[in-house]
Amino acid sequence: MSKIHAVITGVGGYVPEYILNNHELSTMMDTSDEWITTRVGIKERRILKEPGAGTSYMAAKAAEELFAKTGTKPEDVDLILVATTTSDFVFPSCASVVAEKLGVKHALAFDLQAACAGFLVALTNAASFIESGRFKKVLVFGAEKMSSITNYEDRTTAPLFGDGAGVMLVEPTTEEFGVMDSILKTDGIGGMHLMLKAGGSANPASNETIEKKEHYIYQEGQYVFKHAVTNMAGVSAEIMEKNNLSGDDIAWLIPHQANLRIIDATVQRTGVSYDKVLINIDHFGNTSAASIPLCMWEAQDKFKKGDNIILTAFGAGFTWGSVWLKWGY
Ligand code: UT7
């Protein structure tokens, strides 16, 4: 029997309408367009302003677009995986809220939390579920409302993050397309250097945690930067070497969008030319688990059947990795 591969058969996405640009940010805090552009590469980011709307709002909109494009019906879906750090609630899962919004009643739905590397972890999980032969139509989301955990009085983190959601439809195929390989890693050394300090079981919400602003992203930027540069570039080169792929063999390199300088290091290490690198950090900022699927959403018309695509990400944990895809349509 031929091996079952998991192949992406459709892409959907959604970003909120509201654009928070560097100029507006510089009226809110001591920062400048020049600093943000040269140090990070961001010009503007999208912010979800709808009252009461969480991450599931954007994920459901992304899926509605995907359903319309692919002719998928809610009853066809048998698994929903949502990679997010900003679930609507601690529980129930964002995936179960999304399932309800989409009218999906017969699927297993759950979240995966691997911060900025979450989409790669979810996609790899989806591939394993499909390769097992038990699941046939899987929705894999990377979706984040980063503005809900961003302190707009802290210039060291506020300019970095944005909101959005991307989704892939993943299905089985016996052809040589889809998720061909993945390398995923974690090193807990990163734990305390990039985190949300409060609201979990170790440090539940209290008046004190609110006063200390511990419900917002805490990041030691330079420490994270050093590890991100080394590891994202390293794992991208590793998956290419393991599979005998050179820079010329790669049609698209799709890196997580945290800092243009981290992306540059990865591009140089892999030998992929810059015109094959997808970038959205300039207009969406760092959307954490949504950054890679949003890149794919914007660029999907450029992909050709058989294209070798390398996805790579690094984030809190630290957790990082790379996925090699052969585009299937
Ligand atoms: O998404 C997953 C994981 N996250 C990452 O991969 C992010 C990794 N880290 C980074 O991308 C960068 O470290 C940052 C973008 C977060 C920061 O850039 P940096 O070049 O490392 O800046 P820095 O923290 O070393 O700060 C340099 C200076 C400091 O001033 P002094 O001490 O030199 O006087 C900061 O206070 O820049 C100052 N600064 C700012 N100035 C204007 C920090 N934030 C700002 C700002 N506007 N927004």
Side-chain angles (χ1 to χ4, degrees), residues 30-32 35-36 39-40 116 155-156 159-160 194 219 221-222 224-225 228 256 258-259 261-262 286 314-315:
D30 182 16
T31 190
S32 65
W35 192 95
I36 302 168
R39 299 297 268 241
V40 201
C116 297
R155 71 173 185 167
T156 69
L160 306 178
L194 173 53
Q219 173 169 252
Q222 284 190 10
V224 177
F225 185 91
H256 170 53
N259 190 316
R261 291 181 289 142
I262 300 172
N286 181 348
F314 177 92

Side-chain angles (χ1 to χ4, degrees), residues 106-176:
H106 304 291
L108 169 64
F110 63 97
D111 294 352
L112 292 99
Q113 206 284 82
C116 297
F119 179 73
L120 301 192
V121 176
L123 184 61
T124 302
N125 271 273
S128 300
F129 277 112
I130 285 174
E131 287 159 12
S132 77
R134 290 181 58 195
F135 293 90
K136 302 273 186 285
K137 273 194 197 286
V138 182
L139 297 180
V140 184
F141 292 88
E144 303 280 14
K145 185 181 172 185
M146 297 305 285
S147 62
S148 67
I149 53 170
T150 300
N151 178 0
Y152 289 98
E153 292 173 351
D154 173 10
R155 71 173 185 167
T156 69
T157 51
L160 306 178
F161 298 100
D163 301 337
V167 61
M168 310 282 139
L169 180 62
V170 186
E171 299 185 77
T173 179
T174 50
E175 294 187 304
E176 286 292 306

